[in-house]
């Protein structure tokens, strides 16, 4: 299927071509016609599936079709998303897909001076992308009104709840017009999310792409069992591989992220951290440097990394395993975006083995273990899996590949 068959208007088609998009992703193919009909939508999809374009394209089209001629532009579409990084990226998507329309958008988020944001709001804007706290704050200060919103998007609803935004969302729902089109996206659908969706949506059509486990199927995943004390050395060792142009490294804590950065800098590996203790502009700078490949390694905590969208990010390294299995899926979903290739490497120490079990249960598969590395875990219960070593496949690409080190004998797993 091509975008043309979704009845998308010429100015948007043109920008999609410029973006290099030819084929809609499954969530786009399903959602765009529903949204264009004016129907509410319940979308079960995570970042990396192309969900931003799935709502941005039809919103731009609907707003273009019903032009409002007022002196000052009114906020006709509101997109609420949990993190600043996501908000910025959604804004960039609207800029890209809407560049040949005359619609404008603005992004507002907390942690930075509000004056540039209020200046933009004062000029008037068609589409507002916001994090909940700053949105309510500026609304309460009288810098914006939501009474003209025609299309409302609640993005990453599950994460919104995880981050404690439920009251903000409820307050928001009180001030939004009753008559509007609502689009609700969440990667997971636990009961409280279903309840929240039920309170927002009217006769929604449901679209579900890729249950949490299958998006990760295209990503090559490897486990290195390693003692906690050897993780630094293993990371440095892996980064000696020049095929790893950039890598996003996950730690559990902010402190841990800073620690890894310091250690890498000592080894002359260009690294920066991105986490909640950093000022917003420092985080943005780190992200820009990483995208430009000036910084080779970006070390992030989970919340900070939520929604980081780096095209062509090939490597995600879990320096520490997450104790929440879904987080593993979110983390590795930063790579392999929209069908691109990706590799996720996880360091697992003895204490983290229980987390690994949960992860494998969630993704319904065993993650391949790399045994052949200089810092194997000293374990009293050695793991019996096929041996894996780095082999040269062709001149340009090196990747871990299993070798039959057990002489072809059957193996019984861990
Ligand atoms: P998202 O899930 O919205 O964060 O999108 C994930 C990535 O896929 C982003 O880098 C988009 O630019 C890219 N993308 C979205 N839709 C398409 C498409 N139809 N073709 C190619 N890339 C796409």
């Amino acid at each position: 299927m091509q975008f043309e068959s979704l009845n998308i208007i010429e100015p948007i088609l043109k920008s999609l071509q410029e973006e290099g998009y030819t084929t809609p992703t499954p969530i786009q193919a399903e959602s765009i016609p529903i949204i264009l009909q004016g129907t509410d939508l319940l979308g079960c999809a995570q970042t990396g599936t192309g969900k931003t374009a799935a709502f941005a394209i039809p919103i731009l089209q609907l707003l273009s079709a019903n032009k409002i001629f007022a002196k000052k532009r009114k906020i006709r579409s509101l997109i609420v998303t949990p993190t600043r990084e996501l908000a910025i990226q959604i804004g960039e998507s609207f800029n890209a897909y809407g560049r040949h329309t005359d619609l404008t958008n603005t992004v507002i988020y907390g942690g930075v001076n509000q004056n540039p944001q209020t200046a933009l709001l004062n000029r008037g804007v068609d589409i507002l992308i916001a994090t909940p706290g700053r949105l309510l704050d500026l609304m309460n200060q009288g810098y914006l009104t939501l009474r003209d919103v025609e299309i409302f998007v609640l993005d990453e609803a599950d994460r919104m709840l995880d981050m404690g935004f439920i009251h903000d969302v409820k307050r928001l729902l009180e001030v939004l017009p009753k008559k509007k089109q609502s689009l609700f996206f969440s990667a997971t659908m636990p009961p409280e999310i279903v309840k929240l969706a039920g309170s927002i949506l009217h006769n929604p059509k449901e679209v579900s792409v890729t249950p949490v486990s299958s998006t990760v199927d295209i990503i090559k995943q490897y486990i290195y069992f390693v003692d906690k004390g050897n993780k630094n050395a293993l990371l440095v060792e892996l980064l000696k591989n020049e095929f790893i142009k950039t890598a996003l490294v996950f730690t559990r804590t902010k402190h841990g992220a800073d620690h890894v950065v310091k250690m890498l800098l000592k080894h002359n590996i260009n690294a920066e951290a991105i986490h909640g203790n950093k000022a917003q502009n420092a985080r943005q700078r780190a992200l820009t440097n990483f995208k430009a490949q000036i910084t080779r390694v970006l070390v992030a905590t989970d919340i900070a990394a939520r929604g980081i969208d780096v095209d062509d990010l090939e490597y995600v390294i879990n320096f520490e395993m997450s104790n929440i299995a879904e987080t593993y899926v979110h983390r590795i979903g930063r790579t392999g975006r929209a069908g691109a290739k990706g590799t996720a490497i996880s360091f697992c120490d003895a204490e983290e083995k229980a987390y690994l079990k949960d992860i494998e249960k969630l993704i319904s598969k065993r993650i391949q273990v790399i045994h052949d590395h200089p810092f194997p875990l000293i374990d009293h219960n050695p793991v019996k899996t096929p041996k894996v070593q780095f082999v040269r496949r062709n001149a340009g690409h090196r990747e871990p590949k299993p070798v039959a080190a057990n002489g072809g004998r059957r193996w019984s797993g861990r």
Side-chain angles (χ1 to χ4, degrees), residues 289-359:
N289 285 342
F290 185 60
K291 285 184 180 179
Q293 300 197 354
I294 297 166
T295 304
R296 186 169 171 221
V297 180
L298 189 66
V299 186
T301 54
D302 290 304
I303 300 250
R306 184 74 188 151
I308 286 181
D309 182 8
V310 181
D311 285 340
D312 305 327
L313 172 67
E314 240 190 277
Y315 289 88
V316 165
I317 300 178
N318 292 311
F319 189 82
E320 286 158 332
M321 305 294 286
S322 167
N323 54 350
I324 301 162
E326 280 83 3
T327 302
Y328 172 83
V329 177
H330 288 310
R331 284 179 176 187
I332 75 166
R334 308 297 100 214
T335 179
R337 316 295 297 270
K341 63 181 174 177
T343 302
I345 293 169
S346 301
F347 294 178
C348 182
D349 65 30
E351 281 172 27
E352 294 169 323
K353 279 191 170 176
Y355 306 153
L356 177 61
K357 247 193 186 158
D358 291 344
I359 290 166

Side-chain angles (χ1 to χ4, degrees), residues 3 16 19-28 46-55 57 86 89-90 93 97 156 307-312 334 337-339:
F3 278 107
L16 295 178
E19 287 299 300
Y21 298 2
T22 49
T23 318
T25 66
I27 184 114
Q28 291 162 3
Q46 60 185 108
T47 315
T49 54
K51 92 178 141 66
T52 314
F55 63 78
I57 293 169
L86 272 170
Q89 277 160 18
I90 295 171
S93 297
Y97 313 141
E156 309 247 339
I308 286 181
D309 182 8
V310 181
D311 285 340
D312 305 327
R334 308 297 100 214
R337 316 295 297 270

